[in-house]
Short mmCIF file of all heavy atoms in Angstrom, two decimals:
data_model
loop_
_atom_site.label_atom_id
_atom_site.label_comp_id
_atom_site.label_asym_id
_atom_site.label_seq_id
_atom_site.Cartn_x
_atom_site.Cartn_y
_atom_site.Cartn_z
N GLY A 483 52.00 -35.79 -33.94
CA GLY A 483 52.12 -35.39 -32.45
C GLY A 483 53.46 -35.33 -31.87
O GLY A 483 53.68 -35.03 -30.71
N ARG A 484 54.57 -35.35 -32.88
CA ARG A 484 55.84 -35.50 -32.40
C ARG A 484 56.48 -34.08 -32.61
O ARG A 484 56.39 -33.47 -33.61
CB ARG A 484 56.51 -36.40 -33.43
CG ARG A 484 57.95 -36.63 -33.32
CD ARG A 484 58.43 -37.68 -34.24
NE ARG A 484 59.91 -37.98 -34.07
CZ ARG A 484 60.52 -38.83 -34.71
NH1 ARG A 484 59.93 -39.64 -35.52
NH2 ARG A 484 61.80 -39.12 -34.54
N ALA A 485 57.03 -33.57 -31.38
CA ALA A 485 57.64 -32.27 -31.38
C ALA A 485 59.14 -32.45 -32.15
O ALA A 485 59.84 -33.39 -31.76
CB ALA A 485 57.81 -31.72 -30.07
N VAL A 486 59.42 -31.55 -33.00
CA VAL A 486 60.73 -31.65 -33.74
C VAL A 486 61.44 -30.39 -33.51
O VAL A 486 60.93 -29.27 -33.76
CB VAL A 486 60.47 -31.86 -35.26
CG1 VAL A 486 61.77 -31.90 -36.03
CG2 VAL A 486 59.66 -33.15 -35.46
N THR A 487 62.65 -30.44 -33.09
CA THR A 487 63.51 -29.18 -32.88
C THR A 487 63.83 -28.72 -34.27
O THR A 487 63.96 -29.48 -35.22
CB THR A 487 64.84 -29.52 -32.07
OG1 THR A 487 65.68 -30.28 -32.76
CG2 THR A 487 64.47 -30.12 -30.72
N ILE A 488 63.95 -27.32 -34.33
CA ILE A 488 64.24 -26.69 -35.65
C ILE A 488 65.63 -27.20 -36.17
O ILE A 488 65.85 -27.33 -37.29
CB ILE A 488 64.17 -25.23 -35.52
CG1 ILE A 488 63.95 -24.60 -36.92
CG2 ILE A 488 65.20 -24.56 -34.73
CD1 ILE A 488 62.77 -25.12 -37.77
N GLY A 489 66.53 -27.38 -35.20
CA GLY A 489 67.88 -27.93 -35.51
C GLY A 489 67.85 -29.21 -36.23
O GLY A 489 68.40 -29.44 -37.24
N ALA A 490 67.04 -30.17 -35.65
CA ALA A 490 66.91 -31.48 -36.25
C ALA A 490 66.25 -31.37 -37.53
O ALA A 490 66.55 -32.17 -38.50
CB ALA A 490 66.09 -32.47 -35.25
N MET A 491 65.33 -30.50 -37.66
CA MET A 491 64.56 -30.33 -38.95
C MET A 491 65.47 -29.96 -40.06
O MET A 491 65.59 -30.58 -41.14
CB MET A 491 63.45 -29.32 -38.74
CG MET A 491 62.60 -29.04 -39.94
SD MET A 491 61.30 -30.22 -40.11
CE MET A 491 62.13 -31.55 -40.89
N TYR A 492 66.25 -28.87 -39.86
CA TYR A 492 67.12 -28.31 -40.91
C TYR A 492 68.29 -29.25 -41.18
O TYR A 492 68.66 -29.50 -42.37
CB TYR A 492 67.47 -26.92 -40.63
CG TYR A 492 66.50 -25.94 -40.86
CD1 TYR A 492 65.74 -25.33 -39.81
CD2 TYR A 492 66.04 -25.66 -42.25
CE1 TYR A 492 64.75 -24.40 -40.14
CE2 TYR A 492 65.12 -24.87 -42.50
CZ TYR A 492 64.36 -24.21 -41.49
OH TYR A 492 63.42 -23.24 -41.72
N ALA A 493 68.74 -29.93 -40.14
CA ALA A 493 69.90 -30.92 -40.36
C ALA A 493 69.41 -32.09 -41.22
O ALA A 493 70.12 -32.54 -42.19
CB ALA A 493 70.46 -31.51 -39.02
N THR A 494 68.17 -32.55 -40.97
CA THR A 494 67.64 -33.61 -41.85
C THR A 494 67.29 -33.24 -43.20
O THR A 494 67.59 -33.77 -44.20
CB THR A 494 66.39 -34.27 -41.12
OG1 THR A 494 66.78 -34.54 -39.78
CG2 THR A 494 65.86 -35.40 -41.88
N LEU A 495 66.80 -32.03 -43.34
CA LEU A 495 66.54 -31.48 -44.70
C LEU A 495 67.82 -31.29 -45.54
O LEU A 495 67.88 -31.64 -46.66
CB LEU A 495 65.79 -30.15 -44.70
CG LEU A 495 64.33 -30.13 -44.19
CD1 LEU A 495 63.76 -28.77 -43.84
CD2 LEU A 495 63.43 -30.89 -45.26
N ASP A 496 68.82 -30.82 -44.90
CA ASP A 496 70.06 -30.67 -45.60
C ASP A 496 70.77 -32.09 -45.86
O ASP A 496 71.34 -32.09 -47.02
CB ASP A 496 71.09 -29.78 -44.65
CG ASP A 496 70.67 -28.42 -44.73
OD1 ASP A 496 69.98 -27.89 -45.50
OD2 ASP A 496 71.21 -27.75 -43.66
N ARG A 497 70.63 -32.97 -45.02
CA ARG A 497 71.20 -34.32 -45.21
C ARG A 497 70.45 -34.99 -46.39
O ARG A 497 71.19 -35.56 -47.32
CB ARG A 497 71.09 -35.17 -43.92
CG ARG A 497 71.73 -36.49 -44.09
CD ARG A 497 71.82 -37.36 -42.83
NE ARG A 497 70.52 -37.59 -42.16
CZ ARG A 497 70.05 -36.79 -41.10
NH1 ARG A 497 70.88 -35.89 -40.50
NH2 ARG A 497 68.91 -37.13 -40.61
N LEU A 498 69.15 -34.81 -46.42
CA LEU A 498 68.44 -35.39 -47.59
C LEU A 498 68.57 -34.73 -48.83
O LEU A 498 68.75 -35.41 -49.89
CB LEU A 498 66.91 -35.39 -47.15
CG LEU A 498 66.46 -36.26 -46.08
CD1 LEU A 498 65.01 -36.03 -45.69
CD2 LEU A 498 66.56 -37.82 -46.49
N ALA A 499 68.93 -33.44 -48.80
CA ALA A 499 69.40 -32.76 -50.05
C ALA A 499 70.73 -33.28 -50.65
O ALA A 499 70.96 -33.48 -51.76
CB ALA A 499 69.34 -31.28 -49.89
N SER A 500 71.59 -33.48 -49.63
CA SER A 500 72.99 -33.90 -49.91
C SER A 500 72.95 -35.35 -50.52
O SER A 500 73.89 -35.65 -51.28
CB SER A 500 73.93 -33.77 -48.74
OG SER A 500 73.69 -34.62 -47.79
N LYS A 501 71.94 -36.14 -50.02
CA LYS A 501 71.85 -37.38 -50.64
C LYS A 501 71.24 -37.48 -51.96
O LYS A 501 71.13 -38.52 -52.63
CB LYS A 501 70.92 -38.29 -49.64
CG LYS A 501 71.74 -38.67 -48.36
CD LYS A 501 70.73 -39.57 -47.52
CE LYS A 501 71.55 -40.10 -46.31
NZ LYS A 501 70.51 -40.99 -45.61
N GLY A 502 70.68 -36.26 -52.42
CA GLY A 502 69.99 -36.21 -53.70
C GLY A 502 68.49 -36.53 -53.62
O GLY A 502 67.87 -36.66 -54.60
N TYR A 503 67.94 -36.66 -52.39
CA TYR A 503 66.56 -37.04 -52.23
C TYR A 503 65.61 -35.85 -52.18
O TYR A 503 64.40 -35.92 -52.40
CB TYR A 503 66.33 -37.87 -51.01
CG TYR A 503 67.08 -39.16 -50.99
CD1 TYR A 503 67.35 -39.78 -49.82
CD2 TYR A 503 67.42 -39.79 -52.08
CE1 TYR A 503 68.09 -41.02 -49.72
CE2 TYR A 503 68.09 -41.05 -52.16
CZ TYR A 503 68.46 -41.58 -50.91
OH TYR A 503 69.10 -42.74 -50.99
N LEU A 504 66.17 -34.63 -51.88
CA LEU A 504 65.44 -33.49 -51.94
C LEU A 504 66.22 -32.40 -52.74
O LEU A 504 67.35 -32.39 -52.85
CB LEU A 504 65.22 -32.80 -50.50
CG LEU A 504 64.38 -33.47 -49.61
CD1 LEU A 504 64.48 -32.79 -48.18
CD2 LEU A 504 62.89 -33.59 -50.09
N GLU A 505 65.48 -31.61 -53.51
CA GLU A 505 65.93 -30.44 -54.27
C GLU A 505 65.61 -29.16 -53.58
O GLU A 505 64.39 -28.85 -53.53
CB GLU A 505 65.34 -30.51 -55.77
CG GLU A 505 65.94 -29.45 -56.66
CD GLU A 505 67.28 -29.69 -57.01
OE1 GLU A 505 67.71 -30.70 -57.25
OE2 GLU A 505 68.02 -28.59 -57.17
N PRO A 506 66.64 -28.48 -53.10
CA PRO A 506 66.27 -27.18 -52.42
C PRO A 506 66.15 -26.06 -53.52
O PRO A 506 66.70 -26.01 -54.67
CB PRO A 506 67.52 -26.84 -51.53
CG PRO A 506 68.62 -27.67 -52.25
CD PRO A 506 68.03 -28.80 -52.97
N ARG A 507 65.33 -25.04 -53.21
CA ARG A 507 65.15 -23.88 -54.02
C ARG A 507 64.86 -22.64 -53.00
O ARG A 507 64.06 -22.72 -52.28
CB ARG A 507 63.95 -24.06 -54.91
CG ARG A 507 63.06 -23.09 -55.35
CD ARG A 507 61.88 -23.44 -56.21
NE ARG A 507 60.88 -23.95 -55.55
CZ ARG A 507 59.91 -23.30 -54.87
NH1 ARG A 507 59.99 -22.01 -54.83
NH2 ARG A 507 58.78 -23.87 -54.20
N ASP A 508 65.68 -21.64 -53.27
CA ASP A 508 65.43 -20.44 -52.52
C ASP A 508 64.37 -19.52 -53.19
O ASP A 508 64.42 -19.34 -54.43
CB ASP A 508 66.78 -19.59 -52.40
CG ASP A 508 67.70 -20.38 -51.53
OD1 ASP A 508 67.29 -21.01 -50.50
OD2 ASP A 508 69.00 -20.37 -51.90
N ASP A 509 63.43 -18.98 -52.36
CA ASP A 509 62.48 -18.18 -53.01
C ASP A 509 61.97 -17.24 -51.83
O ASP A 509 62.20 -17.47 -50.66
CB ASP A 509 61.30 -19.08 -53.40
CG ASP A 509 60.26 -18.36 -54.37
OD1 ASP A 509 60.54 -17.08 -54.65
OD2 ASP A 509 59.39 -19.06 -54.90
N ALA A 510 61.17 -16.18 -52.25
CA ALA A 510 60.58 -15.24 -51.27
C ALA A 510 59.25 -14.89 -51.74
O ALA A 510 58.97 -13.71 -52.16
CB ALA A 510 61.46 -14.03 -51.17
N PRO A 511 58.23 -15.83 -51.72
CA PRO A 511 57.01 -15.48 -52.34
C PRO A 511 56.20 -14.47 -51.61
O PRO A 511 55.54 -13.68 -52.07
CB PRO A 511 56.21 -16.83 -52.14
CG PRO A 511 56.91 -17.62 -51.10
CD PRO A 511 58.35 -17.17 -51.16
N ASP A 512 56.34 -14.30 -50.30
CA ASP A 512 55.79 -13.19 -49.53
C ASP A 512 56.67 -12.14 -48.92
O ASP A 512 56.41 -11.51 -48.05
CB ASP A 512 54.97 -13.80 -48.30
CG ASP A 512 55.82 -14.66 -47.35
OD1 ASP A 512 57.11 -14.61 -47.63
OD2 ASP A 512 55.29 -15.12 -46.47
N GLY A 513 57.92 -12.04 -49.70
CA GLY A 513 58.85 -11.13 -49.37
C GLY A 513 59.84 -11.61 -48.29
O GLY A 513 60.81 -10.92 -47.99
N ARG A 514 59.55 -12.77 -47.69
CA ARG A 514 60.56 -13.37 -46.67
C ARG A 514 61.23 -14.48 -47.34
O ARG A 514 60.59 -15.42 -47.79
CB ARG A 514 59.67 -13.86 -45.42
CG ARG A 514 59.02 -12.71 -44.74
CD ARG A 514 58.15 -13.07 -43.60
NE ARG A 514 58.38 -14.40 -42.98
CZ ARG A 514 57.51 -15.06 -42.33
NH1 ARG A 514 56.27 -14.50 -42.05
NH2 ARG A 514 57.79 -16.24 -41.79
N PRO A 515 62.50 -14.38 -47.45
CA PRO A 515 63.37 -15.54 -48.06
C PRO A 515 63.18 -16.73 -47.31
O PRO A 515 63.24 -16.78 -46.05
CB PRO A 515 64.73 -15.01 -48.03
CG PRO A 515 64.78 -13.69 -47.22
CD PRO A 515 63.42 -13.32 -46.89
N ARG A 516 62.94 -17.82 -48.05
CA ARG A 516 62.80 -19.17 -47.65
C ARG A 516 63.54 -20.08 -48.49
O ARG A 516 63.56 -19.91 -49.61
CB ARG A 516 61.30 -19.64 -47.38
CG ARG A 516 60.65 -18.89 -46.35
CD ARG A 516 59.20 -19.49 -46.03
NE ARG A 516 58.57 -18.68 -45.04
CZ ARG A 516 57.39 -18.22 -45.14
NH1 ARG A 516 56.81 -18.18 -46.31
NH2 ARG A 516 56.87 -17.63 -44.12
N ARG A 517 63.83 -21.33 -47.85
CA ARG A 517 64.45 -22.35 -48.81
C ARG A 517 63.33 -23.47 -48.83
O ARG A 517 62.85 -23.99 -47.73
CB ARG A 517 65.69 -22.99 -48.11
CG ARG A 517 66.13 -24.14 -49.00
CD ARG A 517 67.47 -24.55 -48.71
NE ARG A 517 68.27 -23.49 -49.47
CZ ARG A 517 69.62 -23.40 -49.63
NH1 ARG A 517 70.35 -24.24 -48.83
NH2 ARG A 517 70.20 -22.51 -50.27
N PHE A 518 62.82 -23.66 -49.93
CA PHE A 518 61.78 -24.70 -50.31
C PHE A 518 62.42 -25.88 -50.76
O PHE A 518 63.53 -25.97 -51.22
CB PHE A 518 60.75 -24.21 -51.26
CG PHE A 518 59.98 -23.12 -50.78
CD1 PHE A 518 60.29 -21.69 -50.82
CD2 PHE A 518 58.64 -23.31 -50.22
CE1 PHE A 518 59.59 -20.81 -50.37
CE2 PHE A 518 57.90 -22.25 -49.72
CZ PHE A 518 58.40 -20.88 -49.81
N PHE A 519 61.77 -27.03 -50.53
CA PHE A 519 62.35 -28.41 -50.93
C PHE A 519 61.14 -29.13 -51.65
O PHE A 519 59.98 -28.94 -51.46
CB PHE A 519 62.68 -29.19 -49.64
CG PHE A 519 63.76 -28.66 -48.85
CD1 PHE A 519 63.53 -27.58 -47.81
CD2 PHE A 519 65.11 -28.93 -49.17
CE1 PHE A 519 64.47 -27.10 -47.13
CE2 PHE A 519 66.11 -28.42 -48.39
CZ PHE A 519 65.90 -27.41 -47.46
N ALA A 520 61.77 -29.92 -52.53
CA ALA A 520 60.87 -30.75 -53.37
C ALA A 520 61.56 -32.19 -53.38
O ALA A 520 62.80 -32.36 -53.46
CB ALA A 520 60.68 -30.31 -54.78
N VAL A 521 60.74 -33.23 -53.39
CA VAL A 521 61.27 -34.61 -53.44
C VAL A 521 61.67 -34.85 -54.79
O VAL A 521 60.95 -34.64 -55.74
CB VAL A 521 60.16 -35.64 -52.98
CG1 VAL A 521 60.74 -37.01 -53.07
CG2 VAL A 521 59.69 -35.35 -51.58
N THR A 522 62.94 -35.41 -54.99
CA THR A 522 63.50 -35.80 -56.23
C THR A 522 63.01 -37.15 -56.67
O THR A 522 62.46 -37.94 -55.86
CB THR A 522 64.96 -35.75 -56.26
OG1 THR A 522 65.44 -36.84 -55.37
CG2 THR A 522 65.55 -34.39 -56.00
N ALA A 523 63.26 -37.62 -57.98
CA ALA A 523 63.01 -38.91 -58.39
C ALA A 523 63.69 -39.97 -57.50
O ALA A 523 63.17 -41.02 -57.13
CB ALA A 523 63.44 -39.19 -59.80
N GLU A 524 64.95 -39.65 -57.10
CA GLU A 524 65.72 -40.49 -56.16
C GLU A 524 65.06 -40.59 -54.76
O GLU A 524 65.03 -41.65 -54.22
CB GLU A 524 67.17 -40.08 -56.02
CG GLU A 524 68.04 -40.19 -57.26
CD GLU A 524 67.87 -38.99 -58.29
OE1 GLU A 524 67.07 -38.01 -57.88
OE2 GLU A 524 68.46 -38.99 -59.31
N GLY A 525 64.56 -39.47 -54.35
CA GLY A 525 63.85 -39.49 -53.13
C GLY A 525 62.54 -40.33 -53.13
O GLY A 525 62.21 -41.16 -52.12
N VAL A 526 61.91 -40.37 -54.26
CA VAL A 526 60.69 -41.19 -54.49
C VAL A 526 61.10 -42.65 -54.45
O VAL A 526 60.39 -43.47 -53.77
CB VAL A 526 59.89 -40.94 -55.76
CG1 VAL A 526 58.86 -41.92 -56.11
CG2 VAL A 526 59.31 -39.50 -55.64
N GLU A 527 62.13 -42.98 -55.10
CA GLU A 527 62.73 -44.39 -55.01
C GLU A 527 62.98 -44.84 -53.70
O GLU A 527 62.80 -46.02 -53.31
CB GLU A 527 63.85 -44.47 -56.05
CG GLU A 527 63.48 -44.46 -57.50
CD GLU A 527 64.78 -44.44 -58.47
OE1 GLU A 527 65.88 -44.74 -57.87
OE2 GLU A 527 64.55 -44.28 -59.67
N ALA A 528 63.73 -43.98 -52.93
CA ALA A 528 64.10 -44.34 -51.59
C ALA A 528 62.89 -44.55 -50.69
O ALA A 528 62.89 -45.55 -49.87
CB ALA A 528 65.02 -43.16 -51.02
N LEU A 529 61.85 -43.68 -50.81
CA LEU A 529 60.69 -43.89 -50.08
C LEU A 529 60.00 -45.27 -50.53
O LEU A 529 59.54 -45.98 -49.63
CB LEU A 529 59.66 -42.71 -50.30
CG LEU A 529 59.97 -41.48 -49.41
CD1 LEU A 529 59.08 -40.32 -49.97
CD2 LEU A 529 59.68 -41.82 -48.01
N GLN A 530 59.97 -45.48 -51.74
CA GLN A 530 59.38 -46.78 -52.27
C GLN A 530 60.11 -48.00 -51.62
O GLN A 530 59.51 -48.95 -51.22
CB GLN A 530 59.24 -46.85 -53.67
CG GLN A 530 58.21 -45.88 -54.21
CD GLN A 530 58.25 -45.63 -55.78
OE1 GLN A 530 59.22 -45.83 -56.34
NE2 GLN A 530 56.99 -45.27 -56.31
N ALA A 531 61.38 -47.89 -51.66
CA ALA A 531 62.21 -48.99 -51.22
C ALA A 531 62.05 -49.20 -49.70
O ALA A 531 61.94 -50.25 -49.19
CB ALA A 531 63.69 -48.62 -51.45
N ALA A 532 61.89 -48.07 -48.92
CA ALA A 532 61.68 -48.20 -47.44
C ALA A 532 60.27 -48.90 -47.29
O ALA A 532 60.20 -49.66 -46.34
CB ALA A 532 61.73 -46.82 -46.84
N ARG A 533 59.21 -48.44 -47.97
CA ARG A 533 57.89 -48.95 -47.91
C ARG A 533 58.00 -50.51 -48.14
O ARG A 533 57.46 -51.38 -47.46
CB ARG A 533 56.94 -48.31 -48.72
CG ARG A 533 55.56 -48.85 -48.60
CD ARG A 533 54.60 -48.22 -49.63
NE ARG A 533 55.09 -48.64 -51.00
CZ ARG A 533 54.95 -47.90 -52.03
NH1 ARG A 533 54.16 -46.82 -52.00
NH2 ARG A 533 55.43 -48.20 -53.21
#
Side-chain angles (χ1 to χ4, degrees):
R484 183 176 180 172
V486 178
T487 66
I488 198 63
M491 179 84 278
Y492 284 107
T494 304
L495 288 167
D496 289 342
R497 183 172 59 255
L498 290 168
S500 72
K501 289 181 176 183
Y503 297 156
L504 290 177
E505 180 69 36
R507 149 183 79 79
D508 293 322
D509 200 355
D512 57 2
R514 294 176 22 199
R516 292 189 177 124
R517 175 160 285 179
F518 291 84
F519 295 88
V521 179
T522 64
E524 291 86 0
V526 169
E527 288 178 7
L529 280 170
Q530 290 171 332
R533 182 189 58 208

